Amino acid sequence: MAGLKQVQRQTGVALWRQIADRIREAISTGAYDETGMVPPETVLALQFGVNRHTVRSALAALAQEGIVRAVQGRGTLIERKERLNFPITRRTRFTAGIGDQAREMRGLLLDEAKEEASTEIAGWLGLKQGEQVIRLETLRHADRRPVSKATSWFPAERFAGIGEAYRRHESITKAFAELGLPDYVRATTEVTAAHASAADMADLELTPGAILLIAKAMNTDLEGVPVQYSISRFAADRVQFTIEN
Amino acid sequence: MAGLKQVQRQTGVALWRQIADRIREAISTGAYDETGMVPPETVLALQFGVNRHTVRSALAALAQEGIVRAVQGRGTLIERKERLNFPITRRTRFTAGIGDQAREMRGLLLDEAKEEASTEIAGWLGLKQGEQVIRLETLRHADRRPVSKATSWFPAERFAGIGEAYRRHESITKAFAELGLPDYVRATTEVTAAHASAADMADLELTPGAILLIAKAMNTDLEGVPVQYSISRFAADRVQFTIEN
DNA sequence: TTAAAATGTCTATTGATATAGACAACCATA
DNA sequence: TATGGTTGTCTATATCAATAGACATTTTAA
């Protein structure tokens, strides 16, 4: 494992949090796979150029996330290091995409509302501003760990009852099928990253300062008519996107 | 503009930094386009549920980044709000992709080295571990603002002298052309997000706590032989990726 | 010219963050 | 069973982050 560089003394983000982020990243890239343990606190303190107590705060945060477990006398064991891969293709589907990497997939409907399309949403869905759309707020789990939270909009007229269908099937694909749309394709995806809002942080069980990968996607039916626009927020330390060209 | 939610009181990331992130995001999505100004400090303090001094710290950080400029007696003006779009397709090229959105593009070669391929790099480039590869460390600017920093690996035998070629042309595409590879395609792209390291933070002129969009990409020639593997780090608040399917 | 609205500056206080040192408790193993 | 290496806990101190209040300075507009 290449030596982790010293952290920069800076303001706004606590040192222990920066160090926690570095260690989490090192774990997920397999830097400590040989031993299955994080280096001793004193070694980490030396590497990062900080006091041992600061390292302890970082490790405590990682333990809180369930990533490591400290055992007195032995060391700090790595509990979890996986990162789910989320392929983005023309046939992108959340459940199928993650499904082969996790045993149990769940989709929870947090909120449902019928509302007037904003300029932006109307543009994406090919509607006029003010036309009715259905908005779904969904939270998706893989093996009981929250992976992403999404806000989706659908043309209200065509997909009346999609909230109820999603609640039953826990899948957009199946909800579409029930409403007479057997197949659809991903038209465009925009990817950005940002800090998590308080609400997303709570739902995704993220710790302060966590990063979101944000995918704004538009799906169409096979004729190219928009059927869904969605903004999905993924916990950045739990997933990666893959784009195959 | 929809009311920004109150920030959560939490540890590890300073309140003023969270607020700075929110305001930056609001600016880049055009929330304040009507006035071209950020709301008054007292209003923001009320919206976020914090003291006015805390908001001032946030605005000071944004001013430091050149995003806003405070004028006593008038208010806080928005200076910059653009976000560059970076399309990821089979024909992804940095210079051409960003080129039509910025007037001046520059590519700076920070470092060049010949080294033995690690297991990971060898795997991506279809080489044996330990075979020679050339590593380039490059920094790319759009209109004098640093946009991304990339580490690229090339098979050393086939692309001897690519560092010098890049230094002259400031473009991977042109360097490839000079070395007898007129065309190439993007095979796969993996996208993740993470906090910036100290070195990346300095080169990309980022402020503490900033987020990186990380694209790990493999390019091949038209026969499908790998010619480049690269890890590009983008300042997340300056770019977005677009995937067209 | 005046008043309102906005940013700039100062003092003071409290709690979180970071460093420092010392030692206890526990584990593996020689 | 003794020893070295490791995590756990405690005390102490200095600095940063956040709140609070008061007032100065500047701009805009009535």
Side-chain angles (χ1 to χ4, degrees), chain B residues 154-211:
Chain B
F154 308 84
E157 194 175 351
R158 183 168 179 188
F159 298 110
I162 193 163
E164 193 44 48
Y166 182 86
R167 203 190 301 273
R168 275 201 307 279
H169 295 298
E170 302 197 349
S171 154
I172 294 284
T173 306
K174 288 178 186 165
F176 271 148
E178 180 179 320
L179 296 177
L181 179 69
D183 201 5
Y184 63 98
V185 295
R186 174 69 60 97
T188 69
T189 311
E190 291 176 359
V191 178
T192 58
H195 287 102
S197 74
D200 288 348
M201 204 154 65
D203 287 331
L204 291 172
E205 294 172 17
L206 294 173
T207 49
I211 299 177

Side-chain angles (χ1 to χ4, degrees), chain A residues 35-65:
Chain A
T35 59
M37 298 176 70
V38 167
E41 293 168 353
T42 48
V43 174
L44 288 172
L46 207 63
Q47 278 180 6
F48 290 116
V50 300
N51 192 275
R52 179 178 154 232
H53 294 294
T54 308
V55 170
R56 281 181 61 74
S57 297
L59 290 176
L62 295 179
Q64 179 70 26
E65 297 176 41

Side-chain angles (χ1 to χ4, degrees), chain A residues 208-229:
Chain A
I211 300 178
L212 297 180
L213 261 175
I214 301 172
K216 302 185 180 184
M218 196 262 282
N219 288 325
T220 71
D221 63 21
L222 299 186
E223 271 77 51
V225 178
V227 296
Q228 176 190 17
Y229 179 70

Side-chain angles (χ1 to χ4, degrees), chain A residues 16 21 28 40 61 73 86 88 98 104 110 115 122 151 159 164 173 178-179 191 221 236 239 243:
Chain A
W16 64 261
D21 292 334
S28 92
F86 188 72
I88 298 181
I98 301 280
E104 187 191 1
L110 296 179
E115 58 191 30
T151 309
F159 297 111
E164 192 44 47
T173 307
E178 181 180 320
L179 296 177
V191 178
D221 63 21
V239 301
I243 301 117

Side-chain angles (χ1 to χ4, degrees), chain B residues 9 14-16 51 53-54 72-74:
Chain B
R9 171 158 284 92
L15 261 178
W16 64 262
N51 191 275
H53 294 292
T54 309
Q72 190 171 99
R74 289 183 61 193

